[in-house]
Amino acid sequence: MGEFDLIRRYFQRLPGHGVEVGVGDDCAVLVPTPGSRWLVSSDMLVEGRHFLSTVDPARLGHKALAVNLSDLAACGATPRGFTLALALPRVDEAWLAGFARGLWSLADASGCPLIGGDTTQGPLNICITVFGEAPSGQALLRSGARAGDEVWVSGRLGDARLALEVFRGTVALDGADFESVRVAMESPTPRVALGQALRGVATAAVDLSDGLLGDLGHILAASGVGARLDVDALPRSAVLAAQPAALQQQCLLAGGDDYELVFTAPPGALVPDVDVALTRIGRIEAEPGLRVVDALGAAVAHGLRGYDHFAS
């Protein structure tokens, strides 16, 4: 199978809403919504760094798009389309069918059509660029947090890192528990509806890809503020809650790959109900720095930090 046969079979469809020209030309042609602004983000997934060679290709297709949609969610954007740059060591039709199935399933559910990209031969590498829209002046940024705001997070944290520790052989879980955390690692849910609902409510937001300490730290740095974070309030699964306290802290604070949203909002703000649990986990303070405390307010020493591709 040649490159263009591969594209036609697995990655070409009719253009979606807001797409005048999609896959098959030198450029896609998008039709912007009047009064909106484009929001654009790219993420790359590299085998051995971001995913294991044993991952189910359908889950990988899902995750490749999900991590990009999560960036749009953090900015309150509505997805409009994405491009896919895919390097493959060889043409494996069974793998491609699974990967495309997972990719299309999330793309269809999110109203985010594939509008172009590139394929080449080489080590397995997946790079997606996603395009979204938000009304002018309503995009959520990292720079709006103010002293007195509350800090909130969606969903549960830490399961993806716990699954990674199982793969590394440092933790043992039975089949059902392992599968529950493995799904969190391999098939994250981008909180797109939540991000859109937070427009006009949240003062700042970020998605959790590199761990809570690092990603909340981005909000603090951009906003010029600090925060007090209650480690006992962090939402976790029963599987993670059964682990030793030190491992729980590692997974919750520095685990990464959660793809939940952490956001700030004034006290008493009407936090939206979009069918995902939201938990208040701290408060923004004027004093710079991130202070981790327990439920009694005592400082928690942890020695952890967010993930950094070049420092790790």
Side-chain angles (χ1 to χ4, degrees):
M1 180 184 297
E3 175 185 0
F4 301 106
D5 293 328
L6 183 157
I7 293 170
R8 280 190 291 270
R9 179 175 298 185
Y10 295 107
F11 299 116
Q12 189 161 14
R13 286 184 172 182
L14 294 174
H17 170 72
V19 181
E20 192 171 284
V21 178
V23 175
D25 221 300
D26 289 309
C27 288
V29 180
L30 305 181
V31 182
T33 301
S36 292
R37 296 291 184 266
W38 287 116
L39 291 89
V40 183
S41 181
S42 294
D43 265 302
M44 182 184 300
L45 298 183
V46 179
E47 184 177 21
R49 171 63 66 174
H50 300 100
F51 62 91
L52 303 174
S53 61
T54 55
V55 67
D56 179 271
R59 288 187 176 181
L60 182 58
H62 170 100
K63 184 172 183 177
L65 181 56
V67 302
N68 284 271
L69 291 175
S70 184
D71 285 331
L72 290 185
C75 291
T78 299
R80 290 299 184 218
F82 70 99
T83 62
L84 169 67
L86 180 64
L88 298 167
R90 64 189 180 282
V91 175
D92 180 335
E93 294 193 44
W95 187 95
L96 279 163
F99 178 84
R101 184 171 64 252
L103 185 78
W104 287 125
S105 178
L106 182 57
D108 291 343
S110 305
C112 189
L114 178 62
I115 58 174
D118 189 28
T119 57
T120 190
Q121 186 174 25
L124 184 56
N125 186 301
I126 306 157
C127 184
I128 284 178
T129 297
V130 70
F131 301 82
E133 288 183 332
S136 179
Q138 293 189 35
L140 303 177
L141 304 176
R142 300 175 179 181
S143 54
R146 298 291 179 264
D149 284 352
E150 296 173 333
V151 182
W152 293 77
V153 72
S154 65
R156 299 184 306 206
L157 306 181
D159 279 356
R161 176 57 182 269
L162 184 58
L164 180 60
E165 294 304 319
V166 176
F167 279 113
R168 288 174 168 173
T170 65
V171 174
L173 295 177
D174 66 27
D177 286 349
F178 174 49
E179 180 59 20
S180 71
V181 297
R182 184 176 184 176
V183 167
M185 174 184 176
E186 296 179 344
S187 298
T189 301
R191 304 301 185 184
V192 175
L194 173 60
Q196 294 170 13
L198 287 172
R199 294 195 302 239
V201 177
T203 53
V206 69
D207 79 317
L208 296 179
S209 57
D210 296 326
L212 179 59
L213 292 177
D215 291 321
L216 178 55
H218 296 323
I219 287 180
L220 304 185
S223 299
V225 294
R228 181 174 299 266
L229 184 67
D230 180 359
V231 71
D232 292 330
L234 299 180
R236 68 206 75 182
S237 67
V239 177
L240 181 56
Q243 303 305 310
L247 178 59
Q248 288 189 51
Q249 285 188 15
Q250 182 182 46
C251 293
L252 291 165
L253 295 173
D257 252 11
D258 291 311
Y259 298 103
E260 297 293 346
L261 297 188
V262 61
F263 63 93
T264 60
L270 185 60
V271 177
D273 180 7
V274 290
D275 199 28
V276 58
L278 301 176
T279 305
R280 187 172 56 242
I281 60 172
R283 186 175 294 274
I284 297 296
E285 299 178 331
E287 181 185 354
L290 179 53
R291 291 160 286 281
V292 180
V293 301
D294 63 18
L296 299 177
V300 174
H302 54 79
L304 300 169
R305 64 179 183 179
Y307 182 78
D308 184 312
H309 282 90
F310 293 97
S312 301

